Amino acid sequence: MTKVLYVHAKGGPPVGYALPRVAARSAVHLLALSDLPVSLAADPAGLCASVVARGEADEHDLVELIASRAREVGADAVITFSEYAVVAVAEASRLLGLRGAGPAAALARDKRLMRAAWDRQGIPQPRFRAVATTEQLQAAAAELSCPLLLKAAWSAGSTAHQIIEGYADVRDAWERSRAVMTESARLGYAELHVGGAGEDFIVEEIVTGCAEEWFDGSGWGDYVSVEGVVVGGVFRPVCLSGRMPTVAPFTERAGITPAAVGTGAQARIVELARRAVEALGLENCGTHTEIKLGADGRMWVIETAARFGGAMTVPQIEDVFGLDLVAMFTDELLGRPADWPSQALTPADAEGAAGSLVVLAVDGAGAPWPRRHLWDSASVIRSAPVGTGSTLSVVRESSLPDGTPVPVYDPAAGANTMAGLCLLSADRPQTVVRDFTALVDALPRILPTDVTEGVRA
């Protein structure tokens, strides 16, 4: 029987979703670089042939740690779905002579290398500069047109984003972004392979989107992601996911599968994603490519990744298209070809729609809630104002324990201040947007008030 070493770290689809699907295709040995969720940690032996946790005192090089464990268990493939472990797993797979993302994996992780590769290929993207000091950021602010967006080169989940309106904002933005990256590392949301990655940044011009020219209905954000896979160096698009508008500065609130764009528009979006992915020279990996949609058909590639989309993107695809991307990709790494779509699937191919909503303590306009509340999954499920044909659930693995105070939203910390993650199934994409819009408005009424707020103040 084949053996897979599953490298777990924070980020990506919930391990409680992905691990059973890998285990259905192969014997699994788990290497946990981050703590397992309580629901899974209690009985991992039910799914895994072995479980090893990387201790805090472990000083081994991460690539060698992964490769060594793979040798010990006789792994035929090494797999991860975490943004923060992608590069290390790719390097370990190369060392072992196994299929993986290949030597270019870092180009789909380090935004500086990614943008430089696209610049050489003429891929449309916002103007940018790589920066590593306050002085470099000041120089970039003088060269580029404000407003600018400062972001960490190795970040994920919209963390450490800072908008720079003018030269006077540079120093404060720099200090705040660096502080957030330090805190993210403490929480486990940081690159695991590259030392000092929290010191690397890019700054880019903010391009103007125009969702209404791309979507028939209202309530959509002005960018999409193209979900796909690279197999043997060939990009295979799967589908498009849409978004609701972000919360300032650019924190994602909700993702919807499929994206309700027309066939012609989808074809042009997929072609741009293909160019962006192929420019990086990846070998075998999932892909998640974000594209900003502008007026008059203009598009800009924002970033791509050598892994599947995070949060509930992969479960949403299985829900509406019937494709188990985790199992299919596991088969590919094991040398068993999977039946990938011949072209990107469209809303016409979908059975309904699905979406995931990140619960943040802000209203639909992005304004902070006037009072503090406690997270309570049962209250959300019981009282959410969704349509009669919609089904809402809470992803407990990705949510705070019930009774926990909902964090105050921090624009710089992004998704680090989320309270919960909700999953919705509905009849069509526009219904998901409608239901989530209503839920965002209702959450301060649904969730119990934190009666200790006055005491803390």
Side-chain angles (χ1 to χ4, degrees):
M1 186 176 186
T2 58
K3 301 174 184 176
V4 171
L5 179 65
Y6 185 116
V7 180
H8 164 67
K10 289 185 181 288
V15 63
Y17 169 87
L19 184 57
R21 285 160 173 77
V22 177
R25 311 303 298 168
S26 173
V28 177
H29 295 265
L30 178 64
L31 175 59
L33 306 181
S34 301
D35 291 340
L36 292 165
V38 175
S39 59
L40 186 65
D43 186 25
L47 291 170
C48 303
S50 70
V51 179
V52 172
R54 181 194 188 192
E56 292 183 3
D58 197 326
E59 298 297 332
H60 287 88
D61 173 78
L62 183 55
V63 172
E64 181 53 38
L65 174 69
I66 295 170
S68 176
R69 184 59 185 156
R71 293 189 194 100
E72 289 174 3
V73 303
D76 301 292
V78 183
I79 196 167
T80 189
F81 300 101
S82 167
E83 177 88 351
Y84 307 112
V86 161
V87 177
V89 167
E91 290 298 312
S93 297
R94 288 181 63 207
L95 194 63
L96 296 163
L98 302 177
R99 295 187 182 191
L107 274 68
R109 181 75 182 97
D110 183 342
K111 296 176 179 62
R112 301 167 303 171
L113 300 177
M114 183 189 306
R115 294 297 189 84
W118 289 343
D119 197 44
R120 291 191 295 269
Q121 296 293 323
I123 306 295
Q125 60 179 318
R127 292 177 65 209
F128 74 99
R129 296 289 185 273
V131 294
T133 65
T134 308
E135 292 71 26
Q136 290 178 359
L137 181 56
Q138 289 171 333
E143 295 173 12
L144 302 174
S145 299
C146 289
L148 304 173
L149 178 63
L150 177 66
K151 59 173 70 169
W154 298 85
S155 68
S158 305
T159 55
H161 284 189
Q162 287 281 286
I163 292 179
I164 298 173
E165 298 287 355
Y167 193 81
D169 297 336
V170 166
R171 188 169 296 277
D172 286 347
W174 178 253
E175 294 301 328
R176 181 62 183 138
S177 286
R178 293 177 72 240
V180 169
M181 288 305 293
T182 299
E183 176 63 11
S184 292
R186 186 187 69 80
L187 296 172
Y189 295 99
E191 174 60 34
L192 295 169
H193 175 50
V194 178
E199 301 295 320
D200 302 326
F201 291 80
I202 67 166
V203 63
E204 64 186 36
E205 294 180 347
I206 297 177
V207 292
T208 302
C210 186
E212 56 268 25
E213 292 193 14
W214 297 83
F215 297 92
D216 291 334
S218 61
W220 292 88
D222 57 10
Y223 71 111
V224 296
S225 57
V226 180
E227 322 302 345
V229 66
V230 176
V231 178
V234 178
F235 175 60
R236 304 291 298 270
V238 172
C239 66
L240 269 62
S241 292
R243 300 293 188 279
M244 290 176 68
T246 57
V247 180
F250 289 101
T251 302
E252 292 187 358
R253 190 195 291 272
I256 299 105
T257 307
V261 298
T263 303
Q266 173 161 316
R268 292 195 297 110
I269 293 168
V270 169
E271 181 55 32
L272 179 55
R274 183 187 308 278
R275 291 176 57 199
V277 172
E278 290 180 348
L280 302 183
L282 300 168
E283 294 181 358
N284 296 280
C285 59
T287 62
H288 172 76
T289 307
E290 296 179 354
I291 295 178
K292 184 87 163 183
L293 307 175
D296 302 319
R298 292 196 68 187
M299 295 181 286
W300 303 267
V301 184
I302 302 301
E303 61 186 58
T304 196
R307 45 86 183 164
F308 294 126
M312 298 302 287
T313 302
V314 174
Q316 289 165 204
I317 291 171
E318 183 173 11
D319 186 16
V320 302
F321 292 117
L323 296 178
D324 184 345
L325 298 189
V326 170
M328 295 167 71
F329 183 58
T330 302
D331 280 344
E332 286 289 355
L333 291 184
L334 292 170
R336 303 192 292 246
D339 187 18
W340 300 101
S342 59
Q343 58 185 5
L345 301 173
T346 71
D349 300 309
E351 291 289 336
S356 48
L357 176 76
V358 174
V359 176
L360 302 166
V362 292
D363 64 19
W369 291 349
R371 302 190 67 181
R372 298 292 302 277
H373 294 269
L374 301 177
W375 175 247
D376 186 70
S377 301
S379 295
V380 173
I381 295 172
R382 181 177 60 249
S383 304
V386 301
T388 56
S390 301
T391 302
L392 183 75
S393 60
V394 169
V395 185
R396 295 185 181 274
E397 179 183 324
S398 303
S399 303
L400 295 174
D402 287 345
T404 304
V406 174
V408 174
Y409 176 65
D410 181 348
N416 285 1
T417 54
M418 67 182 282
L421 185 65
C422 298
L423 180 65
L424 183 87
S425 295
D427 59 345
R428 61 193 185 97
Q430 195 63 44
T431 303
V432 178
V433 174
R434 181 200 67 199
D435 286 351
F436 277 165
T437 300
L439 179 55
V440 167
D441 291 338
L443 279 169
R445 301 191 304 271
I446 291 173
L447 293 175
T449 301
D450 183 356
V451 295
T452 67
E453 178 180 4
V455 176
R456 287 198 307 267

